[in-house]
Amino acid sequence: MEVKLNAGNALEVEKLSLPGIRDITQNRLLLHLFFWVCYVCFFGLLYGSYIDDYYNAFMIELIELPFKMTLVYFNMYFLMPQYLLQKRYLEFFVYLLLMMLAIGTLMQFVLMPILIHPLICPTTCTEDNLTLYRFVKNIVNLGYLVSISAAIYLLKNWYRHQQSAQTLAQDKLEAELKFLKGQIHPHFLFNTLNSLYSLTLKKSENAPEVVLKLSGLMDYMLYDAAAAKVPLEKELNYIQNYIALERIRYGNRVDISFTESGGIAGKQIAPMMLLPFVENAFKHGVSTETENAWIRVDVKVQGEKLVVLVENCKCYEKASSSHRDFASGIGLKNVQRRLELLYENRYSLEVEDESESYAVRLELDLGEE
């Protein structure tokens, strides 16, 4: 029986920050000031070229600015949150239109004849500015301003929600990875302590060496394995120390082979990723200490690809059953889920369950995405 599994990874989001730019973008007052300066300059130059009087054009824009700002901020901070974002579209557009009509009326029939026409531009501002055509044109111009500011608000709101969703997903991912990693540690500790207990019952001289090696392994689990990635060389040393503990336990009753080849130096891997396969081979393959039992662990690095092959004999029917439990149960699901979260589309996992042997072949792309 052969089972092939391919799946995913969790993206590690690298946060780049430029302190100067970030400080400016986080200052809302400067951003708003920048927007209104750009707006006044653009329409001042545009209208000034039309009437051939830039001074009057800029003065008109500055006088009208408080009315336009009132409309924009009333829309952004009241109408849009209360109605548009709540999907109360009809009410939003009705209230917005009424607000635009009110502002347009004040600007054209109060501000224009009382202040702008007599004081700013008595010669260039004529009675034509008080016509219905001019009123409709002003309402359309207000619509452009409202549309631009609303688009900026919606983009900012969308970006904020995306950031929140990303943060939530990252927190959930980290919590899940910690949980999955935590499932590995108790199994490992339980099996190793069983080995130590067996040696102490036999009053074996190897018991102190087991305690020393176990101390080193626990140090790796508690400190090094807390990182997102560790050097592959250190991970393999951890596996070899685990195998050394099992060699002490089984002695000559189990033929254990561990080989490694290729450019291992400089490569990084998620910690505790390989142990479940090796641990499973000992736990379910040779735990009865049957003669002629064997385990093979072969590690190869070819460029950026890591290939790990773990094989063991099936010494008795219970071992075969246990391996099937591992292949279909929580053991393999745990490993597969970690692979999905950490190595999306960058791994291949094959399980071969034969009558006399059991093998797991894992390929990992160790290259940085």
Side-chain angles (χ1 to χ4, degrees), residues 279-293:
E279 183 184 19
N280 183 69
F282 281 99
K283 181 179 179 182
H284 300 306
V286 299
S287 59
T288 56
E289 304 183 26
T290 306
E291 293 184 1
N292 300 322

Side-chain angles (χ1 to χ4, degrees), residues 54-69:
Y54 290 100
Y55 173 77
N56 286 340
F58 274 97
M59 289 302 297
I60 292 172
E61 288 297 332
L62 289 174
I63 293 172
E64 292 180 346
L65 188 61
F67 293 86
K68 295 178 179 179
M69 292 177 66

Side-chain angles (χ1 to χ4, degrees), residues 21-34:
I21 296 176
R22 184 180 60 188
D23 292 342
I24 294 176
T25 56
Q26 288 180 348
N27 192 319
R28 297 176 62 187
L29 180 60
L30 287 179
L31 283 174
H32 286 242
L33 180 62
F34 176 76

Side-chain angles (χ1 to χ4, degrees), residues 177-217:
L177 284 172
K178 288 179 181 178
F179 172 75
L180 292 173
K181 192 185 292 183
Q183 285 184 310
I184 296 175
H185 294 182
H187 289 297
F188 166 79
L189 182 60
F190 177 77
N191 292 335
T192 307
L193 288 177
N194 271 347
S195 300
L196 179 59
Y197 176 70
S198 175
L199 291 174
T200 55
L201 286 179
K202 299 174 183 178
K203 296 183 174 12
S204 171
E205 295 180 355
N206 293 322
E209 183 181 353
V210 171
V211 173
L212 183 61
K213 288 186 177 295
L214 179 59
S215 174
L217 294 177

Side-chain angles (χ1 to χ4, degrees), residues 1-5 276-278 280-282 284-285 294-298 308-314 319-320 323-324 326-327 332 348-363:
M1 179 182 69
E2 181 175 323
V3 182
K4 292 188 177 182
L5 303 168
F277 303 115
V278 179
N280 183 69
F282 281 99
H284 300 306
W294 56 269
I295 289 178
R296 304 283 184 270
V297 180
D298 182 55
V308 179
L309 178 63
V310 180
E311 298 178 277
N312 63 270
C313 68
K314 288 183 177 178
S320 176
H323 275 300
R324 285 195 294 269
F326 174 80
L332 188 58
S348 174
L349 180 60
E350 300 178 8
V351 177
E352 295 184 2
D353 192 355
E354 305 294 344
S355 58
E356 300 296 328
S357 65
Y358 185 89
V360 176
R361 188 176 189 274
L362 173 65
E363 290 188 11

